[in-house]
Amino acid sequence: MIYFVEDDNSIRELVIYTLNNSGMEAEGFEKPSGFWRAMESKKPSLILLDIMLPEEDGLTVLRKLRANPAHAQIPVMMLTAKGSEFDKVVGLDAGADDYLPKPFGMMELIARVKALLRRSGAGSSGKEYHLGRLMVNPEKHLVHVDGKDVVLTFKEFEMLCLLLKNQGMVLTRDQFLNQVWGYNFDGENRTVDVHIRTLRQKLGEAGCYIRTIRGIGYKIEETEDEV
């Protein structure tokens, strides 16, 4: 199920019609209040969210989703007329997994939706990663730091798993975009940096394991004082 919160009736109806005719079950909501009621009974696999909404804006809705452990890992794509770099960065900072400014083509929307669903539903080898204070179980989607749960969005989780899979190796920003976003992402250059920053913050004491390699990208390794 895909939920779409959009107060413009024509856009909401077109997107829902397109998604349903592409083999994906979708439901639209004019106001956040209807969306929140639906969330109580059925959790979607993906949320499409406009920013300019009545009752409360989309960024507020997004922050509430990310603050709730039960909803934090649901992928969220922002669909909005606010298309400046500043607005994109604000959305990514708030926990958005993708950002598509209006006007957008239906074919591009479907491609991005399928990419998000594919990444969020991807299987794993079942391998468990351990690095200093950090433990990650890809199959169960668990992250622990010093034995305490850490709640990540699925994009943050995918980035962390990619780093751990290539422990000690430097990954470029293009590698993150290609392997985590799963398609030719045309977003701002800061996209990866924004997600890395929030990932470090959420990992707390283990955030220092993610090292910035100036001019290249990032890698993960245990720091000397942890060895």
Side-chain angles (χ1 to χ4, degrees), residues 9 27 39 52 55-56 68 70 73-74 80 106 116 227:
N9 291 334
E27 185 175 350
M39 288 290 290
M52 304 301 292
E55 299 180 341
E56 57 182 345
N68 186 334
Q73 295 170 5
I74 302 174
T80 175
M106 289 298 104
L116 281 174
V227 176

Side-chain angles (χ1 to χ4, degrees), residues 97-126:
D97 298 295
D98 202 354
Y99 200 113
L100 186 59
K102 302 173 183 176
F104 51 83
M106 289 298 104
M107 290 184 65
E108 181 179 8
L109 172 64
I110 294 300
R112 293 199 180 200
V113 165
K114 287 183 176 179
L116 281 174
L117 290 173
R118 185 170 58 249
R119 294 305 301 170
S120 62
S124 67
S125 62

